[in-house]
Amino acid sequence: MSQEVTEFEATAADSGGRATERYFENHATSLDTPKERVSQLATEVLTAVHDVIRRHRVTYDEYQAVKGWLIQVGADGEWPLFMDVWVEHVVEEVATDHREGSKGSIEGPYYVPGAPQLPAQCTLPMRADEPGTPLLFAGQVTDVAGQALAGATIELWHADDYGFYSQYAPGLPEWNLRGTIITDEEGFFAINTIQPAPYQIPTDGSCGKLIEAAGWHAWRPAHLHLKVSAPGYELLTAQLYFQGDAHLDDDIATAVKPELVLAPRPKADGTGNEVTYNFALDPARA
Ligand code: MBD
Ligand code: FE
């Protein structure tokens, strides 16, 4: 008889491979960028690398070690993880610096479009014995003037109590802790889920090797991922964190903003925690 594979058997190469596959499913890999812009950006990136080599007198041994490491990042499927942990936060900063509504944050490598649609008051898909503290996450979606947005879409996804994401670790139900929630006539939502746990990016792959070699740590604070949208408004991609988390100030992915920290309180009936958070969407730009 074959043994059931569980989430605890997750490997960096496994989740990396899935993230790499998913990347190619969801993204166009060609963009009609003018030659002048490609040349300028590529030249400046390469020049920055050359400058580091000169400034620090990088040796042939170091050059070959880096080359091997880069090859292995690809072999592990960890380019999505590498890019989203160490680069995406600056792209997000530039892309959203005009906004007046809610702050956003990076998408990260574990988003999956098309999660089951749920009404404004709902429970995220989860196992019957899903471990973790229950969390009631409620609020309202409005525009920047405070006008309620009925029928807005909230895509919510997060890791389980052990830090694993469905579809990226084995053994989890396909849509575990992932849902697409539609706000009610007054823009409200109230979602039952569990509070995710602090999370370490995979330590047994190439990104983990870099972290270990540099003496860094692999932690992200516990977080909820969201995409909030409504026709005529800018898509808000965000993460929400939890007050008191040990890694709010040293997130390996540099994706925490003070406006994104939740302070849940115990529910009066003793069945877990609850918290309110409201989203204000910026109008789409012409
Ligand atoms: C995550 O769960 C995440 O959100 C990011 C940004 C990077 C790695 C793992
Ligand atoms: Fe995440």
Side-chain angles (χ1 to χ4, degrees):
M1 224 182 77
S2 75
Q3 192 74 28
E4 274 286 303
V5 179
T6 72
E7 57 188 310
F8 304 107
E9 269 86 56
T11 64
D14 190 20
S15 72
R18 287 164 200 244
T20 294
E21 256 174 55
R22 187 76 63 189
Y23 170 81
F24 285 114
E25 283 166 27
N26 295 338
H27 299 269
T29 48
S30 75
L31 191 64
D32 268 327
T33 306
K35 281 191 175 60
E36 295 69 29
R37 183 167 169 84
V38 174
S39 177
Q40 180 177 39
L41 297 182
T43 299
E44 288 193 25
V45 168
L46 290 167
T47 301
V49 173
H50 303 158
D51 286 348
V52 170
I53 294 167
R54 289 197 184 96
R55 212 147 19 91
H56 297 280
R57 305 192 57 79
V58 170
T59 67
Y60 251 104
D61 283 348
E62 288 169 335
Y63 168 71
Q64 295 296 2
V66 168
K67 205 199 299 186
W69 179 81
L70 288 165
I71 293 166
Q72 194 60 41
V73 173
D76 291 344
E78 282 203 332
W79 280 116
L81 181 66
F82 177 89
M83 292 297 289
D84 296 350
V85 166
W86 284 296
V87 181
E88 187 184 357
H89 68 99
V90 186
V91 180
E92 193 274 340
E93 172 192 311
V94 170
T96 63
D97 64 2
H98 62 285
R99 287 193 184 168
E100 289 171 10
S102 297
K103 294 287 182 208
S105 188
I106 63 176
E107 175 177 314
Y110 303 139
Y111 169 64
V112 184
Q117 193 163 311
L118 301 163
Q121 290 203 29
C122 65
T123 298
L124 274 197
M126 65 176 77
R127 293 163 287 183
D129 55 352
E130 190 66 44
T133 305
L135 176 70
L136 175 58
F137 171 64
Q140 188 185 29
V141 180
T142 69
D143 66 12
V144 288
Q147 189 72 37
L149 295 177
T153 298
I154 300 172
E155 293 176 273
L156 174 62
W157 73 100
H158 65 83
D160 70 9
D161 199 43
Y162 302 110
F164 293 108
Y165 284 87
S166 60
Q167 302 191 37
Y168 294 90
L172 291 167
E174 187 177 19
W175 297 105
N176 210 55
L177 304 174
R178 297 176 182 274
T180 303
I181 297 94
I182 309 297
T183 62
D184 72 11
E185 344 28 84
E186 289 165 291
F188 286 111
F189 63 89
I191 305 161
N192 290 287
T193 185
I194 57 110
Q195 215 166 302
Y199 173 90
Q200 280 199 83
I201 73 163
T203 53
D204 59 316
S206 294
C207 291
K209 269 246 165 67
L210 170 62
I211 287 169
E212 195 191 331
W216 301 339
H217 71 73
W219 290 98
R220 298 214 59 218
H223 55 279
L224 304 172
H225 287 274
L226 304 118
K227 284 182 180 281
V228 184
S229 59
Y233 294 87
E234 282 197 18
L235 168 67
L236 173 67
T237 299
Q239 297 188 34
L240 294 172
Y241 306 93
F242 298 90
Q243 203 173 69
D245 194 297
H247 294 290
L248 291 177
D249 295 325
D250 65 354
D251 177 12
I252 187 69
T254 324
V256 178
K257 300 176 187 179
E259 298 87 347
L260 299 174
V261 180
L262 301 172
R265 312 246 232 123
K267 281 165 76 177
D269 65 6
T271 61
N273 295 333
E274 64 186 349
V275 71
T276 299
Y277 194 86
N278 300 320
F279 299 96
L281 300 186
D282 279 75
R285 294 198 288 182

